[in-house]
Amino acid sequence: PGGPAFVYDSVVDNPGHGYFALEDDDDVHVVLPFPIFVYGVQTSDIQLSNNGSFLVGANLSSLPAGFNGGHWNWTNSGLVVGPSPAAPAGFNPPWNFPAVTPYWDDFIIIPVGSGFDGGDGVYLETRGIAPNRQFVIQWNQMDQFSSSPSTATVQCILYENSNDMLFLYPDTDYGDSTSFGASATVGLRGILSG
């Protein structure tokens, strides 16, 4: 009561959205239609993971050699300063980029049909007109790797000319003990110093 209303507009329902059917623990370099500013880094480059997270200012060419294919992102952990438990030997810190984790969990994509019919996948959409656009990332109907009986859908909205971002959680009920964020990490992390 008295707070902002929950307004969710699925990217899947809108024509012209982008779609990635990423492999398990995979990621892809995405160039945003406008720069964002996160913890001192201003960039239009993100490395988008199928596991409900992305790195700001990163792409595969800027990650350490042998550190691609999503290996940075499959085991979520706390966002404290320190090495990632999923880091290959010798990488400390393994991914020294700001991290945005709307719902970092071990998702797996099981595409239904072409993927454009509302199936599992990562959907992207630019909304509005410059200089007030929004870039929406939607992890849609994502299965939890532990063979959850149901799926989760999560959104992250980035705003042009603003440091604001919005995380929306229309459905995080896997139907098991990992539901409602019990196995997820949510938050932001800056660059590690040292």
Side-chain angles (χ1 to χ4, degrees):
F6 180 81
V7 178
Y8 168 69
D9 180 14
S10 176
V11 170
V12 177
D13 300 332
N14 301 328
H17 59 258
Y19 171 78
F20 292 106
L22 298 170
E23 298 290 326
D24 183 33
D25 301 328
D26 205 0
D27 53 70
V28 63
H29 177 235
V30 174
V31 178
L32 303 174
F34 51 83
I36 60 172
F37 188 81
V38 179
Y39 282 108
V41 174
Q42 183 174 5
T43 185
S44 296
D45 292 306
I46 64 171
Q47 193 69 24
L48 178 63
S49 162
N50 78 303
N51 287 325
S53 61
F54 60 90
L55 301 179
V56 176
N59 63 55
L60 285 180
S61 65
S62 62
L63 293 175
F67 204 64
N68 56 20
H71 299 292
W72 61 270
N73 69 36
W74 72 273
T75 301
N76 61 310
S77 61
L79 294 172
V80 297
V81 174
S84 166
F91 294 118
N92 186 6
W95 38 280
N96 198 9
F97 301 95
V100 178
T101 64
Y103 200 84
W104 184 14
D105 207 349
D106 195 6
F107 288 149
I108 187 167
I109 296 174
I110 304 171
V112 177
S114 67
F116 291 98
D117 58 2
D120 292 15
V122 182
Y123 291 76
L124 309 174
E125 180 179 56
T126 304
R127 297 177 179 164
I129 299 169
N132 297 305
R133 294 173 290 180
Q134 301 172 356
F135 187 77
V136 182
I137 305 166
Q138 180 170 317
W139 291 268
N140 193 66
Q141 296 180 0
M142 304 298 283
D143 290 280
Q144 214 277 348
F145 189 78
S146 64
S147 300
S148 54
S150 188
T151 62
T153 297
V154 176
Q155 257 188 12
C156 176
I157 303 176
L158 306 171
Y159 295 87
E160 186 172 22
N161 291 317
S162 171
N163 293 333
D164 293 343
M165 58 183 73
L166 178 65
F167 300 164
L168 296 172
Y169 305 96
D171 178 14
T172 58
D173 185 358
Y174 294 122
D176 63 16
S177 63
T178 63
S179 294
F180 308 114
S183 63
T185 300
V186 175
L188 304 171
R189 191 191 80 171
I191 296 172
L192 300 178
S193 61

